[in-house]
Amino acid sequence: MAMGIKEDNWKKINFELDKLNKKYLHKHSVILNTSPPRVGKTINTISRHIDDNVPVIVFVDNEKQSKDLYNKLIGTIRVDGERLYYWRNKASSCYIMQLSEEETENNEYIINAKSEINEGVNHCKKCFYHKDCYWKWQRRNVKEYDVVLMNKHNIGTVLIDDDELFYRNGERRSIIYDEEIDKPQLTDYKQLDDVDIELFNKVYSLTSGFPDNLIINNNDFINKIDLIKEMLKVRATDAEIISSGFDSSKYSKKYGNLDEKAYLELFFNKIRVNIEIYDYLDKKPAPLPKKEDKSYDFDQFKLEKLFIDILIDKRSEHNIILLDATPLKIIVDRIKDKVDDFKEIGVSADFFEKQSLMFRIERKGGYVKNSRMSVKTRIRKNISFENIYDKNLGLDKDISYITAFKINELIKEYNRINGKNAKYGVVTYGSIRFKNNLVIDVVRMLKENGIENILYYGNYRGRSNLNECEVIHVIGTDLHDSSASYNLYRYLDGEKSLQELKKSYNLEKHEFGDVLFDELVKHQRNSGMEQIIFRNMPHMKKRIVIIEGYLPPHLEEYFKYTFPLKVYEEFPNSGTIANPSKKIIKEIINKFLDSVYYNKKIEEDFYNSFSQLSCEPKQKLNIKLEKIDKEEARKEVMTLTKKYLSPKNKRKYKRLPKGAFDNLNENYTNLMKKAKIKSLGRFRELYRDFIENK
């Protein structure tokens, strides 16, 4: 059975986390715990609240994470299920939304109600089914539970003002916010289509008395927004608009069968939100987003608000515990400025017993700092886009992925020979898309080549798929388009447009000209790669991590040793790994798994020697490996010879070297060829040296 988490190590970390929580929880208005990922800080923090009988609400990223956490809490600390509640979203708890098509057939009220709810109309206040509604039930009864698990996106809704959620029968809950304190709530600008513009101009005409149209497009809406704000203060009533000949049939094509007031509610909500977004952007130092042709770039019109800022603003009377292994410093500084009593805690890298190895893939004289673009470049060199029948576009012949296939084969072979169940996992891109709309489904390709344990960039936070993998292989770097950092940059009062920032990028230094934007882009990369490196818990278990991508420098602190590893192809674009590289990888993987399963002590020199050997030029590597193979074969030959010439085998071989030599040539032909012992004289000489050295 494979070595799991060392009992002492696990107890040690949990004891330290619990000691920190006992000392500081309930005593500071905001606590930030920066312990590394996968050490159990979320479970430990919730457990401490349960033990202290302090009610808590926990905000997580998604429904799956909530359910996983729910199951862990039930299984790990055996909290009573009646004290723990997972908050269902409206779509999965509203009575009307759960009705099937058969149940709603010919029921006009249900059909219209579903349409309203789907379009964001608040139907609850006029719903006929309050008694049967689970959404209503949980709003009434959640106050009874000790622990409530909830999706972060609820922070940006009316639920943030609901005291029934944030108090247990009148007792104030602590708030736990799990990971990514820089995560924003984004509200998108909803562009007005022709139907909206026609209705808007009708409202303007009814309100002002002028028959002329006020706007003809969305750019007009922004340019005339001050006039629009004034008009909306005294706009025509819904009744006046309906009686003026409002054509609801145009809206029914967009939204389904709603009543006329519901259509108008949707329309004016859209106008209100768009004005709110404009006002937010107008107050920011950065210019309003524009395209190259100077028209407004409405894809960049967004209202940003950090979830953590909403929490602190709305629920400042509660104790707030932030759990984030990689917090952004500028956000932490902002929180410190907002609150009077801030405390940062955490378990540092020095506290962990280092057991794991890291191998960093090297090519062209340095570590690979891979990106999706470098993989694309290699593929372009190897294939023609003119006439493509290969669904993988040659990616399954790429050096990065054929290395993964070979490691997977080697681990399966080890399992077959040793009767073990060692696991191998890969973290890489989910897909690779080209400008000509060709797409490679990387996950599918890996599965087709026998790799079972896979995570891909954008889908790894909170995932435990690779927990039990003794070896993981990280291919590429989790790089988002720099545009993804612009919303946060603008929220933090950055002054430049996205176009200016992109033009400021220095290819030689790999940095943007704006210090704030450069910090945000690099933080996204660093925090993402840290989450990925810890997927198989190398700080808690004995593991190998092979990385072919960017590595934040501080992560090496968690590994016992870090070695370079070079992998050669048989020949360029062959889709096959060179035999010497296969041998080196096999030697490293097998010895490591022996140390895990059989507790064999493997010295650093062993890994270091093979690491250095892998980095030799290919021709020298072949020569050196042949020499190593020859020396190992000779050792095996001499060991067999000693056995043959022992007193036990005295009669059979007459204790003569010649008898042993002849027997070896007859029964161990391949071994003797590897050992390159062609003459009896050389055989005698080697055996004499072997005995003397023994």
Side-chain angles (χ1 to χ4, degrees), residues 121-177:
V121 174
N122 184 4
H123 186 81
C124 290
K125 55 191 176 185
K126 56 184 178 182
C127 184
F128 294 166
Y129 295 97
H130 285 179
K131 289 182 180 179
D132 302 309
C133 186
Y134 194 81
W135 173 254
K136 285 289 184 183
W137 179 91
Q138 69 177 358
R139 291 287 294 269
R140 290 192 303 269
N141 292 281
V142 71
K143 62 178 182 274
E144 306 290 338
Y145 290 87
D146 297 344
V147 181
V148 178
L149 306 175
M150 179 176 272
N151 192 303
K152 288 174 187 172
H153 289 285
N154 289 301
I155 294 171
T157 70
V158 293
L159 293 174
I160 194 67
D161 296 314
D162 190 343
D163 282 348
E164 298 288 352
L165 261 176
F166 287 89
Y167 287 81
R168 179 185 64 181
N169 294 322
E171 182 182 1
R172 190 167 55 211
R173 294 183 186 276
S174 290
I175 298 170
I176 297 175
Y177 185 95

Side-chain angles (χ1 to χ4, degrees), residues 493-510:
D493 294 330
E495 298 178 353
K496 295 183 175 65
S497 69
L498 182 57
Q499 288 90 335
E500 288 178 276
L501 293 167
K502 287 194 170 185
K503 287 176 183 176
S504 76
Y505 187 69
N506 187 315
L507 278 169
E508 291 183 5
K509 295 182 178 179
H510 299 290

Side-chain angles (χ1 to χ4, degrees), residues 600-616:
K600 291 183 179 179
K601 187 176 180 182
I602 312 295
E603 299 295 339
E604 177 188 4
D605 287 348
F606 168 81
Y607 294 111
N608 192 47
S609 63
F610 277 94
S611 162
Q612 296 302 320
L613 189 61
S614 78
C615 296
E616 293 278 2

Side-chain angles (χ1 to χ4, degrees), residues 322-494:
L322 310 175
L323 309 176
D324 195 338
T326 54
L328 184 59
K329 183 179 182 301
I330 190 171
I331 303 295
V332 175
D333 291 342
R334 280 167 55 91
I335 294 170
K336 288 179 180 178
D337 290 340
K338 275 189 169 192
V339 301
D340 296 328
D341 187 15
F342 178 91
K343 181 68 181 177
E344 184 172 332
I345 62 175
V347 180
S348 69
D350 296 335
F351 200 80
F352 293 83
E353 182 183 344
K354 297 174 184 177
Q355 309 172 73
S356 296
L357 309 178
M358 174 178 282
F359 286 88
R360 299 195 64 185
I361 297 292
E362 186 179 273
R363 289 195 200 105
K364 299 179 181 177
Y367 293 138
V368 175
K369 295 181 180 179
N370 215 342
S371 70
R372 200 183 308 252
M373 190 51 65
S374 59
V375 176
K376 281 183 177 181
T377 301
R378 289 206 301 270
I379 296 171
R380 283 195 185 98
K381 287 180 181 177
N382 299 341
I383 65 169
S384 167
F385 285 107
E386 301 299 321
N387 190 14
I388 294 174
Y389 299 99
D390 179 7
K391 61 188 174 185
N392 295 320
L393 302 184
L395 187 65
D396 53 349
K397 305 290 190 296
D398 181 80
I399 181 63
S400 299
Y401 293 100
I402 60 174
T403 303
F405 303 152
K406 177 49 62 178
I407 293 172
N408 192 47
E409 286 175 17
L410 291 172
I411 291 175
K412 285 182 176 179
E413 182 185 0
Y414 180 92
N415 289 337
R416 181 177 54 77
I417 292 170
N418 294 278
K420 302 300 179 185
N421 190 31
K423 290 184 173 64
Y424 171 64
V426 174
V427 187
T428 187
Y429 311 104
S431 62
I432 297 177
R433 183 180 296 274
F434 295 87
K435 287 182 179 178
N436 55 7
N437 291 325
L438 288 170
V439 179
I440 307 173
D441 185 336
V442 181
V443 173
R444 175 192 49 73
M445 180 200 73
L446 292 173
K447 288 179 178 178
E448 287 177 352
N449 282 275
I451 296 176
E452 298 171 357
N453 305 298
I454 305 164
L455 286 178
Y456 57 90
Y457 299 136
N459 186 45
Y460 52 79
R461 283 188 181 268
R463 300 278 177 166
S464 55
N465 309 39
L466 308 186
N467 268 9
E468 302 306 318
C469 292
E470 286 83 0
V471 183
I472 69 164
H473 189 173
V474 180
I475 300 173
T477 299
D478 184 23
L479 285 178
H480 294 200
D481 188 307
S482 58
S483 306
S485 298
Y486 186 69
N487 294 322
L488 183 56
Y489 169 82
R490 184 167 53 193
Y491 181 74
L492 297 173
D493 294 330

